[in-house]
Amino acid sequence: MSRVSIRCLAWGAVVLALTTGAPVFAEEGSIQKGIDAWSTVEGMTHTSFKEDPIPAGFFCPESKPFTGTLSLKGVPLATKPAKSLGTVDTVVSRLDDAVFDAQGVATTRIQLSALSLASVKPVQTECGAYDAKVSLYGEQPKTTMRIVRTEARGGRYEAPLALNVKVAFTPVEGNANAPRELVRRIELGPGTSSVWTYAGKPRYEGPIFIDSDGDGAPDLQVRGDSNFLAGVSPMPETRLASWTGDVSSSVPSCPPGTCPKQSCHCNPDESAWNPDLNGDGCSDDHLHCVWVCVSSTSGGVGAQAVRCAVAADPIDPAQPVD
């Protein structure tokens, strides 16, 4: 399998259960295995084939190498019970309980469990237009997530990602060519401003089955009872980021004392990324971003304290504190 470059995937945490009050797990010395679920923000997700073109003749005998960019949006995962994860289109599983050492560091293996994306508009080729759908393909690689507890209620984490994906191209009306499928491997480095806090109660209630292979049928049961909340700074009162209205044209809402900020995964080069700051010179060929809620005061995690900007700015909703 060859590799495809991702320019920008923007995912946002979706609120499915509110967690309030002091975390009941704050004194525990481990993080329970479970899932982290995300929703993709339309208009901020792009897959580039510039460095690894789709070969000539792929779409039809006359098609040239495709070096364009595919703009994507999230499609809610099929689940059982239906709609039990709301608009979630991406699920990452933490496979092991992670035990903190004397330095406050714990590790766990992570693996993509589900991915559901689709093209914002048809892909134009010499052979006509195609709609595209992106899902996971086959066995997924495992990477190591490093969790650092910087204070009693939480801290930061580093989670490089690797995944095998299938891009299915379906001819749109007027295109008589056959459907096509492309399989690629993607590797992404850790994200900036990746924060976490303890959960006060399970995020998801009851057994949940998700569509892990993109065929529309929920087939994989996932755990929702972890004491870990990814994407939220440690705060006395914690909730997940949420949206009001159209998620494609707004930024998420965050709890009092926190601001929405993009956390961006960089290429897998440890010398080229900083886990606490954006704008660190990451290469655009392996980059995706997720929304997180970071502390709005100087008491935040490391350099992650931010000053909230006006909600009308959907691209950069928070700026670093001077």
Side-chain angles (χ1 to χ4, degrees):
M1 286 182 293
S2 55
R3 295 182 180 175
V4 65
S5 56
I6 295 288
R7 189 177 191 282
C8 183
L9 281 179
W11 296 336
V14 174
V15 61
L16 296 175
L18 299 184
T19 305
T20 59
V24 298
F25 301 114
E27 300 303 321
E28 293 190 359
S30 64
I31 296 295
Q32 298 166 348
K33 60 185 177 182
I35 63 170
D36 301 318
W38 308 92
S39 289
T40 301
V41 181
E42 181 178 341
M44 298 175 63
T45 306
H46 311 283
T47 300
S48 172
F49 293 93
K50 181 179 179 180
E51 300 300 326
D52 191 5
I54 297 176
F58 174 82
F59 293 102
C60 69
E62 297 79 24
S63 64
K64 299 177 182 178
F66 182 81
T67 59
T69 297
L70 179 63
S71 295
L72 299 167
K73 60 183 178 181
V75 178
L77 288 169
T79 61
K80 182 180 180 181
K83 301 181 180 180
S84 53
L85 292 184
T87 60
V88 162
D89 54 63
T90 305
V91 174
V92 180
S93 290
R94 287 172 281 104
L95 302 177
D96 315 296
D97 292 343
V99 180
F100 289 104
D101 61 19
Q103 288 71 45
V105 178
T107 60
T108 180
R109 296 172 302 156
I110 56 174
Q111 185 179 47
L112 266 290
S113 293
L115 180 68
S116 178
L117 304 175
S119 54
V120 173
K121 59 183 180 180
V123 180
Q124 301 296 328
T125 76
E126 294 86 356
C127 313
Y130 293 80
D131 286 329
K133 177 184 176 182
V134 181
S135 58
L136 298 181
Y137 178 82
E139 184 176 355
Q140 294 302 306
K142 299 179 180 69
T143 55
T144 299
M145 180 179 189
R146 183 172 180 266
I147 305 170
V148 182
R149 186 168 58 188
T150 58
E151 56 185 275
R153 293 188 175 94
R156 58 183 174 83
Y157 67 89
E158 300 159 8
L161 303 175
L163 56 158
N164 296 322
V165 301
K166 177 178 68 176
V167 186
F169 295 93
T170 303
V172 301
E173 185 177 356
N175 184 349
N177 292 294
R180 296 287 188 268
E181 291 186 350
L182 182 72
V183 175
R184 294 286 173 99
R185 179 184 174 95
I186 299 170
E187 294 186 11
L188 299 165
T192 60
S193 298
S194 297
V195 291
W196 69 275
T197 190
Y198 283 102
K201 66 177 183 180
R203 183 179 178 188
Y204 313 113
E205 301 293 343
I208 298 175
F209 288 82
I210 62 174
D211 174 17
S212 67
D213 56 10
D215 66 356
D219 60 288
L220 176 67
Q221 184 174 1
V222 293
R223 297 173 56 104
D225 56 353
S226 175
N227 60 345
F228 181 84
L229 282 179
V232 183
S233 291
M235 297 291 294
E237 181 175 314
T238 302
R239 291 179 296 171
L240 293 179
S242 62
W243 269 272
T244 56
D246 182 5
V247 301
S248 67
S249 61
S250 63
V251 298
S253 300
C254 283
T258 65
C259 298
K261 186 175 177 66
Q262 292 182 58
S263 169
C264 297
H265 284 259
C266 306
N267 59 49
D269 177 2
E270 293 185 0
S271 66
W273 62 272
N274 182 318
D276 296 327
L277 296 173
N278 286 337
D280 54 11
C282 295
S283 172
D284 282 349
D285 61 354
H286 285 80
L287 178 68
H288 74 80
C289 302
V290 301
W291 287 113
V292 296
C293 294
V294 300
S295 174
S296 61
T297 68
S298 59
V301 180
Q304 294 166 352
V306 297
R307 176 174 57 246
C308 294
V310 294
D313 182 359
I315 302 302
D316 190 9
Q319 297 292 335
V321 170
D322 297 329

